[in-house]
Amino acid sequence: MLCVHDCYVILISCISRTIPLTPCLTGGYLPIMKLITTIVRPERLPEVKAALFQAGVTGITLSRVSGHGGEQEIVSQYRGNTVVMEFHEKVKIEMVCSEPFVEPCIKAILASARTGEVGDGKIFVQAIERVIRIRTGENDNAALTAVNADVVQRAAIESAHHAGAVAGEEAP
């Protein structure tokens, strides 16, 4: 359920947050949405995915990519020939978030993807003008909320409590 109050929209669901709006040319307000794209090591994908779900991000798109940044080239032998591997396998994760989820999303990626070595990856944040869910025609934040968001968030919270209990903390 969305309630409009001055320059803010309050999203009432599993997690209540205040979503800031930006003025538009028609005199109304548009929700602030961001495209967060991150490139991470493939071996860090399970940790990053779990951290994003715990941060409340329920929709992500994954792509297997190759890239070259600060990592050194790998020189190896293949059938008697010297082969230079310039590009390294990475995973590209993309998600569109409303403003309250942007910083928690970035913090989740940083905490889960960082190894401290060259090649940990990058995070890119870009503004998004409009989102439309094809199936229903919903726009912007309504289109960003997953149909099963409550179930996914509940499972992530339970998983976090279970992980805390396993680590020796008491579950609330």
Side-chain angles (χ1 to χ4, degrees):
M1 171 194 256
L2 292 173
C3 304
V4 178
H5 298 287
D6 295 323
C7 298
Y8 293 92
V9 171
I10 300 172
L11 176 63
I12 303 170
S13 67
C14 180
I15 298 176
S16 296
R17 306 230 181 175
T18 302
I19 301 171
L21 300 174
T22 53
C24 67
L25 297 176
T26 61
Y29 290 91
L30 297 173
I32 297 174
M33 298 172 293
K34 303 286 184 172
L35 170 65
I36 301 174
T37 304
T38 185
I39 311 288
V40 298
R41 298 173 183 268
E43 61 270 17
R44 301 301 296 176
L45 179 60
E47 291 87 353
V48 173
K49 187 178 95 169
L52 287 171
F53 283 171
Q54 288 179 357
V57 177
T58 57
I60 61 175
T61 301
L62 296 175
S63 304
R64 300 281 178 183
V65 296
S66 297
H68 179 72
E71 294 174 295
Q72 293 185 354
E73 299 171 343
I74 299 171
V75 180
S76 61
Q77 295 291 323
Y78 179 73
R79 294 189 178 184
N81 294 322
T82 301
V83 178
V84 178
M85 302 284 292
E86 294 181 51
F87 298 100
H88 299 275
E89 297 298 316
K90 300 289 180 183
V91 176
K92 179 178 174 181
I93 307 170
E94 298 174 289
M95 64 224 80
V96 177
C97 303
S98 56
E99 186 61 35
F101 288 95
V102 173
E103 283 306 313
C105 179
I106 291 170
K107 289 177 182 174
I109 295 167
L110 287 172
S112 59
R114 181 178 288 152
T115 66
E117 300 293 324
V118 174
D120 277 349
K122 298 271 191 295
I123 301 172
F124 305 95
V125 181
Q126 303 169 6
I128 293 292
E129 283 187 35
R130 191 170 175 201
V131 176
I132 303 164
R133 179 175 287 154
I134 294 172
R135 178 176 53 85
T136 62
E138 293 171 300
N139 288 298
D140 302 328
N141 285 321
L144 291 180
T145 305
V147 175
N148 64 343
D150 292 344
V151 174
V152 171
Q153 288 174 345
R154 212 173 302 117
I157 290 167
E158 288 173 10
S159 173
H161 288 308
H162 177 69
V166 169
E169 300 173 4
E170 289 186 25

